[in-house]
């Protein structure tokens, strides 16, 4: 059984580079997306590897179907819907890739907040979601870079996202 993917995961989000890295090590059984305008890249990627994807406006739309998945791992990367306790309990563990330092820039839009606050660095943090508090839970890892104030926001954001995989 060497080389077989034994753990299964449900991926929530639109960061295709995170998903592409994860499918090489974990059996991703479903990708859950929010209805947004620019999801063609992740949908095309899923279709190219025959990976099921669905769009939901609420996590409750997953309903009882989610309880039939043998308590997989949940992986979140660029997903705006909030996980309530009933959703968190579907998983053996639920992890979030947050494009900011969870100690200084929680919530949405961490890079613009770091820039507005004059922080010297930007970060990608990974933490375990254990309750309904935003960007809290057990800290797993962080990759940190200097913010390049001589460059524009988009270039800094691209550098930050390049660290996701």
């Amino acid at each position: 059984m060497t080389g077989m993917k034994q753990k299964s995961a449900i991926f929530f989000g639109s960061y295709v580079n995170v998903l592409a890295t994860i499918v090489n090590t974990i059996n991703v059984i479903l990708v859950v997306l929010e209805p947004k305008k620019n999801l063609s890249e992740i949908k095309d990627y899923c279709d190219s590897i025959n990976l099921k994807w669905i769009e939901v406006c609420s996590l409750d739309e997953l309903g009882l179907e989610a309880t039939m998945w043998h308590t997989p791992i949940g992986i979140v990367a660029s997903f705006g819907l909030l996980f309530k306790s009933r959703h968190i309990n579907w998983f053996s563990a639920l992890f979030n890739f947050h494009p900011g330092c969870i100690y200084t820039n929680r919530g949405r839009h961490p890079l613009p907040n770091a820039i507005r606050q004059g922080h010297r660095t930007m970060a990608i943090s990974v933490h375990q979601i254990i309750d309904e508090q935003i960007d809290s839970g057990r800290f797993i890892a962080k990759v940190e870079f200097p913010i390049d104030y001589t460059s524009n926001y988009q270039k800094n954001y691209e550098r930050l996202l390049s660290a996701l995989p």
Side-chain angles (χ1 to χ4, degrees):
M1 293 206 177
T2 304
M4 288 186 62
K5 301 174 191 175
Q6 296 187 358
K7 298 215 182 256
S8 62
I10 299 173
F11 182 85
F12 296 84
S14 59
Y15 286 155
V16 71
N17 54 353
V18 175
L19 176 59
T21 300
I22 290 167
V23 298
N24 289 323
T25 56
I26 298 174
N27 180 32
V28 177
I29 57 176
L30 179 67
V31 174
V32 181
L33 306 169
E34 297 172 85
K36 291 183 181 177
K37 291 182 181 177
N38 298 319
L39 292 176
S40 60
E41 182 182 16
I42 196 161
K43 289 177 181 178
D44 290 346
Y45 175 76
C46 291
D47 291 343
S48 74
I49 61 168
N50 295 316
L51 179 56
K52 180 180 177 185
W53 59 267
I54 60 172
E55 289 184 82
V56 298
C57 294
S58 164
L59 289 169
D60 291 328
E61 291 177 37
L62 295 174
L64 295 177
E65 183 182 1
T67 63
M68 301 176 352
W69 285 323
H70 273 51
T71 61
I73 296 169
I75 300 170
V76 182
S78 188
F79 192 74
L81 300 178
L82 299 179
F83 287 81
K84 302 292 186 188
S85 292
R86 65 184 175 275
H87 309 128
I88 296 166
N89 291 334
W90 288 340
F91 302 96
S92 59
L94 183 60
F95 300 99
N96 181 39
F97 286 75
H98 177 69
C101 176
I102 61 170
Y103 298 120
T104 59
N105 286 293
R106 293 181 178 185
R108 291 189 176 209
H109 314 297
L111 180 56
N113 290 335
I115 292 169
R116 275 195 295 273
Q117 295 169 8
H119 290 217
R120 295 176 61 181
T121 61
M122 56 186 173
I124 299 286
S125 300
V126 180
H127 65 94
Q128 185 174 3
I129 298 173
I130 58 171
D131 58 32
E132 295 182 20
Q133 292 183 15
I134 304 296
D135 294 329
S136 66
R138 186 169 66 98
F139 176 77
I140 307 294
K142 177 175 74 169
V143 177
E144 201 165 19
F145 301 93
I147 295 174
D148 181 357
Y149 283 100
T150 65
S151 189
N152 64 24
Y153 167 81
Q154 188 60 36
K155 293 290 184 190
N156 277 291
Y157 189 62
E158 288 170 8
R159 279 182 46 238
L160 185 64
L161 294 185
S162 71
L164 280 167

